[in-house]
C-alpha cells in the first residue's frame, strides 16, 4: 500500500532516512578519542618521569625511587603508550564515520578494538592502583611498609598519573556505547 497525500491523491514523497543522529555520535566519538589521547599520554608521561631521591643519614647515602623500579609501573607506562598510539591511529576511522555516518563494518571493527584497548588499559591501571595503594597504606601482614611517608612527591605524582588512565577508561566505555548505539540505528 502506497502512502497517499490527502489533498492531491498523489503518493507523498518521503525523503530517504539520513544519518544525522549518527553524525552527531561520530563527532562526539572524535572528541572523546582526542580527550582519551591526551589522558593516556599525560598518564604515561607523568608516570614515566616520576622519580625522587632522598638522603638517608647524611648526604653521601641516598635512596632513589623511580617508576621503573616496579615492573607494574613500567607495564602501566607501556599500556598507556600503546593505547595512546591506538587512539591516534583510530582517529582517521573516526573522521571517516563523520563523513559516512552509515558505515557499519568499520564501527564493528572499532567496537572490537576499543574493547581490547579498554581491557588492556583497565588491567594496567588496576595493577598500578594496587601498587599505589600498598605504597600509601603498606601491608602489616606481609611486613610491607608504606613508603609514601618518605617518598611523598613520588607517591603524589604516581597517584595523579592514575587519574588520566581511569578517565580514559571511562572514555572508552562511552565510545563503545556510542558505537553500539550508532549500529543499532536503522538507516
Amino acid at each position: 500500500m502506497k502512502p497517499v497525500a490527502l489533498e492531491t491523491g498523489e503518493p507523498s514523497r518521503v525523503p530517504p532516512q539520513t544519518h544525522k543522529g549518527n553524525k552527531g555520535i561520530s563527532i562526539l566519538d572524535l572528541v572523546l578519542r582526542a580527550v582519551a589521547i591526551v589522558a593516556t599520554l599525560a598518564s604515561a608521561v607523568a608516570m614515566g618521569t616520576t622519580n625522587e631521591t632522598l638522603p638517608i643519614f647524611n648526604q653521601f647515602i641516598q635512596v632513589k625511587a623511580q617508576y621503573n623500579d616496579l615492573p607494574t609501573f613500567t607495564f602501566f607506562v607501556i599500556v598507556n603508550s600503546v593505547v595512546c598510539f591506538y587512539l591516534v591511529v583510530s582517529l582517521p576511522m573516526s573522521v571517516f564515520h563523520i563523513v559516512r555516518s552509515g558505515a557499519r563494518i568499520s564501527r564493528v571493527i572499532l567496537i572490537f578494538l576499543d574493547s581490547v584497548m579498554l581491557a588492556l588499559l583497565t588491567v594496567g591501571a588496576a595493577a598500578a592502583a594496587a601498587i599505589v595503594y600498598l605504597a600509601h597504606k603498606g601491608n602489616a601482614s606481609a611486613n610491607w611498609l608504606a613508603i609514601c611517608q618518605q617518598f611523598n612527591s613520588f607517591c603524589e605524582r604516581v597517584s595523579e598519573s592514575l587519574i588520566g588512565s581511569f578517565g580514559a577508561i571511562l572514555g572508552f566505555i562511552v565510545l563503545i556505547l556510542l558505537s553500539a548505539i550508532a549500529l543499532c540505528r536503522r538507516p
Side-chain angles (χ1 to χ4, degrees), residues 54-83:
L54 292 176
I56 296 184
F57 301 120
N58 57 29
Q59 294 294 357
F60 298 112
I61 301 173
Q62 295 183 342
V63 177
K64 189 171 189 175
Q66 293 179 317
Y67 85 96
N68 58 357
D69 290 338
L70 297 161
T72 304
F73 290 163
T74 304
F75 179 68
F76 178 83
V77 171
I78 292 169
V79 163
N80 275 281
S81 301
V82 166
V83 171

Side-chain angles (χ1 to χ4, degrees), residues 40-123:
T40 54
L41 182 62
S43 290
V45 169
M47 181 72 81
T49 58
T50 299
N51 61 28
E52 184 176 0
T53 304
L54 292 176
I56 296 184
F57 301 120
N58 57 29
Q59 294 294 357
F60 298 112
I61 301 173
Q62 295 183 342
V63 177
K64 189 171 189 175
Q66 293 179 317
Y67 85 96
N68 58 357
D69 290 338
L70 297 161
T72 304
F73 290 163
T74 304
F75 179 68
F76 178 83
V77 171
I78 292 169
V79 163
N80 275 281
S81 301
V82 166
V83 171
C84 183
F85 176 76
Y86 161 76
L87 286 165
V88 169
V89 170
S90 71
L91 280 178
M93 187 72 72
S94 190
V95 171
F96 172 75
H97 287 141
I98 293 172
V99 175
R100 298 231 10 217
S101 299
R104 299 178 88 57
I105 294 172
S106 57
R107 282 203 192 272
V108 171
I109 292 169
L110 271 184
I111 287 176
F112 174 75
L113 293 175
D114 286 350
S115 298
V116 170
M117 292 299 134
L118 172 63
L120 188 62
L121 193 60
T122 303
V123 167

